[in-house]
Amino acid sequence: MKAPEYFNKTAINYFNFVVAELEKIDKLNTTDQPIIERLAFNLATVEACEKELFQDGYTVMGPHGKKEHPSVSTAMKAQAKIIESFKLLGLNAAQKFKEEQAKPDNLNNDPLIQLLRTKF
């Protein structure tokens, strides 16, 4: 899977990182490429916004006094999209918990299974 050519270096690095991590956990699916692209773009956007905010501060002077820096809003929107992408890729905590619960590996240690085995 390859990042789009128009991505900047930061977005390409995020794209490659996400692809590598999904490969490690065997969750890489080619049909998820648009989601991975948006995730990388939004991660790069948050990084760019944070750099601007550290440089400029969280407020700017407007015609009527101080106001919130535009990068604050942009970063918040990108962060919301990152969380949404995590959910779509099954990388959120709730999905991981469901997967852990569905694993049949530890059924021998399950107290309910042990109880049922002793009674029947």
Side-chain angles (χ1 to χ4, degrees):
M1 194 174 292
K2 188 176 177 191
E5 293 179 16
Y6 59 87
F7 268 16
N8 66 14
K9 186 177 179 178
T10 304
I12 291 171
N13 289 340
Y14 278 120
F15 182 89
N16 292 334
F17 174 76
V18 170
V19 168
E21 292 301 311
L22 288 171
E23 283 177 339
K24 283 181 190 176
I25 60 173
D26 198 31
K27 282 194 167 208
L28 185 63
N29 191 343
T30 55
T31 58
D32 290 335
Q33 182 160 355
I35 300 167
I36 297 168
E37 289 174 6
R38 293 301 89 213
L39 175 59
F41 174 82
N42 285 310
L43 288 166
T45 300
V46 168
E47 184 176 323
C49 288
E50 288 175 348
K51 285 179 183 177
E52 278 187 21
L53 291 169
F54 283 126
Q55 181 181 348
D56 301 341
Y58 289 87
T59 58
V60 293
M61 284 303 294
H64 303 291
K66 286 186 177 184
K67 67 174 193 170
E68 183 179 76
H69 194 292
S71 289
V72 172
S73 174
T74 303
M76 289 174 61
K77 290 174 186 173
Q79 288 171 345
K81 293 295 182 183
I82 289 168
I83 292 168
E84 184 179 322
S85 295
F86 280 178
K87 288 178 183 177
L88 290 171
L89 293 170
L91 300 175
N92 60 331
Q95 183 65 30
K96 288 180 183 181
F97 181 75
K98 287 179 189 175
E99 289 173 4
E100 287 295 319
Q101 295 298 316
K103 286 184 181 178
D105 299 341
N106 295 329
L107 288 180
N108 289 331
N109 297 330
D110 188 294
L112 180 61
I113 298 294
Q114 290 176 353
L115 179 67
L116 290 172
R117 285 184 182 153
T118 59
K119 298 289 180 182
F120 301 102

